Amino acid sequence: MYTHLQRDASRPPVTLATLARMKADGEKIASLTCYDASFAVLLDAADVDVVLVGDSLGMVIQGHNTTVPVTMDHMVYHSAAVARGLHRPFLIADLPFMSYPSQTQALEHSVRLMQEGGAQMVKLESGGKQTEIVEFLASHDIAVCAHVGLKPQSVHKTGGFRVQGRERETAARLLEEARRLESAGADIVLLECIPATLGKAITAALHVPVIGIGAGPDTDGQILVTYDMLDITTGRKPRFVRNFMDGARNNLEALQQYVRAVKQGEYPAPEHCF
Ligand code: KIV
């Protein structure tokens, strides 16, 4: 009765227990964003551990300058498409801008991402104020990823896409926030755009897996926007992006090289860190 309709018993689906074991064993978690079923099939074939339907889709799919215009309906639509293409990876979907201002709205929208979008975990951009939301969702047995550091949904308030936690006080505040979010029930913490030293300190301080993007080599895992690392995105890319199409014959090979580089600790290199 607890047996899933298995498509490939030799590749059991990744769960939170798998990710906890990977952290304990020091095996790096390879994660990427995804927005449609075709890429989902490729990411699965490349053995990506965690797939995120990020609200970055507002920028790379919809062509906006920020993630702010992304709605719940957009997230549900893309998450459901990705879920159809996946078998092994653990699927996280973003709660978009202003979809979690209250506990009840956060719960209602998380349920949509899980029931209609097929997500196994929801992610929200969190600071001090979101701790209670994380606690409320966790008390309803919803798996939560807390996004700390650079929070793209807040760029109009914070003044742009900037590295966070460079000063001693802001670094201490981010470490404290991450600790509080873990205590509130966050199952994964995602760190975006912070100095590598802070990424290392937060990862060491937490028991739950920590996944980084521009947070240095010492987090438990890495994530990138797939369109960035496949060099589909045009224009200037953030410092932490490496073009994995370099030397690859096709998309699948580039994705496999990313997974290998993360697992072997070759990515991120010093030039990708703050
Ligand atoms: O929306 C997204 O793609 C993200 C990543 C940058 C981690 O949150």
Side-chain angles (χ1 to χ4, degrees):
M1 130 122 172
Y2 291 118
T3 309
H4 186 255
L5 293 175
Q6 290 201 339
R7 293 202 305 215
D8 182 354
S10 66
R11 296 174 73 245
V14 174
T15 64
L16 272 180
T18 319
L19 300 175
R21 183 194 48 72
M22 289 170 79
K23 177 170 177 120
D25 292 352
E27 183 188 344
K28 296 284 184 186
I29 300 164
S31 321
L32 283 171
T33 66
C34 190
Y35 318 104
D36 68 39
S38 299
F39 268 107
V41 170
L42 279 180
L43 265 56
D44 194 336
D47 264 339
V48 170
D49 301 305
V50 173
V51 167
L52 168 69
V53 184
D55 60 357
S56 51
L57 69 86
M59 300 172 78
V60 296
I61 302 288
Q62 298 175 332
H64 297 293
N65 288 332
T66 73
T67 59
V68 172
V70 178
T71 66
M72 267 310 297
D73 284 344
H74 298 151
M75 290 308 305
V76 168
Y77 174 89
H78 286 280
S79 186
V82 170
R84 280 179 220 119
L86 293 184
H87 162 64
R88 179 181 170 273
F90 187 71
L91 180 58
I92 309 177
D94 264 340
L95 283 163
F97 178 68
M98 276 305 142
S99 64
Y100 46 98
S102 69
Q103 295 181 346
T104 42
Q105 280 164 300
L107 181 60
E108 181 192 328
H109 291 139
S110 300
V111 170
R112 278 199 72 193
L113 286 177
M114 295 175 73
Q115 290 193 324
E116 298 173 51
Q120 289 153 308
M121 170 179 269
V122 299
K123 175 163 84 60
L124 51 80
E125 296 187 7
S126 30
K129 291 273 182 293
Q130 282 72 40
T131 310
E132 284 167 23
I133 303 280
V134 170
E135 195 163 23
F136 186 70
L137 293 177
S139 75
H140 287 79
D141 285 344
I142 290 178
V144 183
C145 174
H147 184 143
V148 174
L150 169 61
K151 296 185 287 181
Q153 291 174 10
S154 309
V155 285
H156 294 313
K157 180 81 174 169
T158 55
F161 297 94
R162 297 217 176 90
V163 180
Q164 304 291 305
R166 281 200 197 271
E167 306 77 23
R168 191 191 292 243
E169 308 80 65
T170 49
R173 182 175 50 73
L174 290 177
L175 173 58
E176 189 46 36
E177 263 177 30
R179 279 209 176 100
R180 285 220 192 100
L181 289 158
E182 178 181 61
S183 301
D187 304 279
I188 292 181
V189 169
L190 187 145
L191 301 175
E192 178 162 358
C193 256
I194 60 170
T197 47
L198 180 57
K200 182 176 183 176
I202 294 178
T203 306
L206 300 191
H207 303 287
V208 296
V210 176
I211 297 178
I213 175 165
D218 297 304
T219 52
D220 301 308
Q222 299 293 329
I223 186 163
L224 281 175
V225 170
T226 297
Y227 282 39
D228 286 347
M229 50 76 74
L230 290 181
D231 205 29
I232 296 169
T233 321
T234 51
R236 201 172 136 261
K237 294 198 194 47
R239 175 188 172 96
F240 52 78
V241 174
R242 175 170 145 193
N243 175 8
F244 283 88
M245 283 306 288
D246 260 355
R249 281 172 304 183
N250 52 46
N251 289 336
L252 179 59
E253 224 175 78
L255 295 168
Q256 287 167 330
Q257 278 173 22
Y258 168 75
V259 172
R260 201 174 310 124
V262 169
K263 299 272 176 197
Q264 293 179 355
E266 287 164 11
Y267 173 81
E271 67 265 26
H272 304 118
C273 300
F274 300 108

